[in-house]
Amino acid sequence: MADRVRITDVAPRDGLQNEPGVIATARKAELVRLLCATGVDEVEATSFVSPRWVPQLGDAGELVGLLVQSPLPEGGDGASASARRDLSEDPIQRPTLSALVPNEKGMQALIDANERAGWSVISKVSVFTAASETFSRKNTNASIGETIERFRPVVEIARRYGLGVRGYVSCVIACPFEGAIAPGAVADVTGRLVRLGVNEIDLGDTIGAGEPETVRGMLSAVQKAVGTEWIGGLDPSTAFRTTLHLHDTFGRAADCVQAALDFGVRSFDSSAGGLGGCPYASTPDGGRAPGNISTQLLVRTVREAGYACDVDDAAMERAAAFAMRLVADARRGSEEGA
Ligand code: HMG
Ligand code: MG
């Protein structure tokens, strides 16, 4: 079994999609570059979703354009020289850059952005559905079945352009509207994504409801549905096919990581500084959606459990400090503008 853990930092996407203020695209690009210099395996850079639904990420195409410009516009904020390099200079060293795509229209916008750049800056796309019908409708205006149908052309186009496809399932433990979700429902949707042809599945505990026992139960159900070649198997070549995406609402995410490591999961999402939250997962009383497990906590948990990852702690601290400053400035700006 692989003793290495794969880490995807989702701060530029999950971290910024729910912020009230406006964040300049150049500063988002700076964050992506700082994260690329930390040693994480992947950075989820943005979403090609409807700007009416998520205005915060309506600049996805522009962001891709900025990521291939060298040098970046001066943003200050202590970005390191290595983080400022053109991402295309060192395609082997740089981590994978990925983005969310809900439908063919978003996929076409992503392909256009890559073509303008002249290479596949975003080399992996993430489609997203849920194990809860209510959440699926609130998040994407579609039933689970309809989201899967929307993904068909996305997967076909991704294949044509040689891009990887991650399939997210939200609400794998509980839904903010329906409450507890049966592990069988998660297994069912995961199986549909696998049959659709995704390369990776990503199981999202959207509201951080998980506990080690419920996470284990959910992973077992998924394993039964898709097999050990997808999750919890012994083959290092398939060890990174399943990712766990935890939000840390109740401070239990690190215990859930430990339970998942014991189960055989070797790939996790996290966000620098613990930013994050889905705008359509806010509690019915209007409370803010919770943040992801912080990358710093994930790295500590993974190392304490005896596994390796390539994250440089000092570089991650710099990226996290920048991410927090970005969000603090945006919140201050939105309060002043209110
Ligand atoms: P819709 O309104 O039903 O879309 O939204 P539509 O197909 O009816 O089209 C309506 C208009 O939107 C049209 O424009 C389309 O062209 C346009 P008009 O003709 O009226 O001018 N449109 C688009 N524009 C830009 N990009 C697109 C796009 N698609 C349509 N891709 C849709 C359906 C799925 C688009 C919408 O609901 C949406 O964008 N939802 C995204 C919500 C979102 O991003 N949520 C957060 C991410 S998921 C998450 O955070 C969970 C996760 O972290 C895991 C976890 O924690 O569980 C991943
Ligand atoms: Mg999330």
Side-chain angles (χ1 to χ4, degrees):
M1 176 127 17
D3 59 1
R4 197 180 164 281
V5 163
R6 188 175 193 282
I7 294 182
T8 300
D9 197 299
V10 298
R13 194 279 303 171
D14 208 331
L16 301 187
Q17 71 185 7
N18 202 18
E19 287 305 319
V22 176
I23 298 175
T25 312
R27 297 190 90 203
K28 294 178 183 176
E30 193 83 43
L31 175 60
V32 172
R33 281 168 187 262
L34 282 167
L35 289 169
C36 286
T38 62
V40 295
D41 300 272
E42 179 173 336
V43 177
E44 198 171 72
T46 188
S47 294
F48 286 84
V49 296
S50 160
R52 270 194 229 156
W53 283 66
V54 184
Q56 292 88 339
L57 302 183
D59 58 354
E62 199 190 325
L63 176 70
V64 172
L66 277 190
L67 288 175
V68 294
Q69 268 176 30
S70 185
L72 262 184
E74 288 298 322
D77 293 329
S80 67
S82 61
R84 285 183 180 285
R85 74 182 197 274
D86 185 329
L87 287 173
S88 63
E89 274 172 19
D90 197 358
I92 293 168
Q93 289 297 314
R94 75 185 160 77
T96 301
L97 288 185
S98 56
L100 257 58
V101 167
N103 54 16
E104 190 171 355
K105 176 152 183 136
M107 186 64 182
Q108 200 48 58
L110 183 151
I111 296 293
D112 290 348
N114 274 349
E115 290 199 329
R116 279 195 302 274
W119 58 289
S120 292
V121 180
I122 305 291
S123 60
K124 178 167 158 186
V125 303
S126 298
V127 294
F128 52 102
T129 185
S132 150
E133 281 293 351
T134 312
F135 182 80
S136 179
R137 287 194 180 280
K138 296 227 182 230
N139 197 37
T140 56
N141 201 23
S143 68
I144 296 167
E146 285 163 348
T147 61
I148 305 268
E149 287 312 307
R150 284 176 180 173
F151 301 158
R152 268 181 218 292
V154 174
V155 173
E156 271 167 34
I157 296 169
R159 225 173 254 151
R160 206 178 319 138
Y161 284 85
L163 309 180
V165 184
R166 155 187 273 200
Y168 270 109
V169 182
S170 282
C171 304
V172 297
I173 304 291
C175 165
F177 312 103
E178 293 183 11
I181 295 292
V186 183
D188 177 59
V189 181
T190 307
R192 289 160 86 176
L193 287 174
V194 165
R195 287 193 293 280
L196 186 72
V198 302
N199 311 107
E200 176 192 340
I201 49 180
D202 193 332
L203 304 167
D205 180 12
T206 317
I207 55 170
E211 296 177 48
E213 210 174 305
T214 49
V215 165
R216 259 192 305 273
M218 180 274 294
L219 295 176
S220 299
V222 171
Q223 188 187 55
K224 235 182 243 163
V226 295
T228 51
E229 68 274 27
W230 277 88
I231 177 168
L234 298 171
D235 183 352
S237 72
T238 56
F240 303 137
R241 273 187 167 177
T242 295
T243 298
L244 189 62
H245 175 106
L246 296 165
H247 286 257
D248 200 13
T249 320
F250 304 106
R252 298 193 296 253
D255 292 340
C256 295
V257 167
Q258 182 62 64
L261 284 168
D262 292 344
F263 192 89
V265 174
R266 294 291 179 268
S267 175
F268 295 88
D269 291 344
S270 58
S271 77
L275 307 180
C278 174
Y280 298 99
S282 302
T283 52
D285 62 1
R288 263 181 83 81
N292 293 95
I293 182 172
S294 81
T295 307
Q296 299 97 309
L297 175 58
L298 174 62
V299 167
R300 265 201 314 281
T301 307
V302 159
R303 289 194 179 131
E304 278 168 19
Y307 297 90
C309 63
D310 299 332
V311 173
D312 176 287
D313 294 332
M316 183 46 73
E317 284 306 328
R318 274 197 298 278
F322 181 80
M324 310 277 269
R325 202 156 50 238
L326 213 62
V327 165
D329 289 351
R331 286 184 191 167
R332 211 172 22 250
S334 86
E335 276 161 22
E336 280 164 10

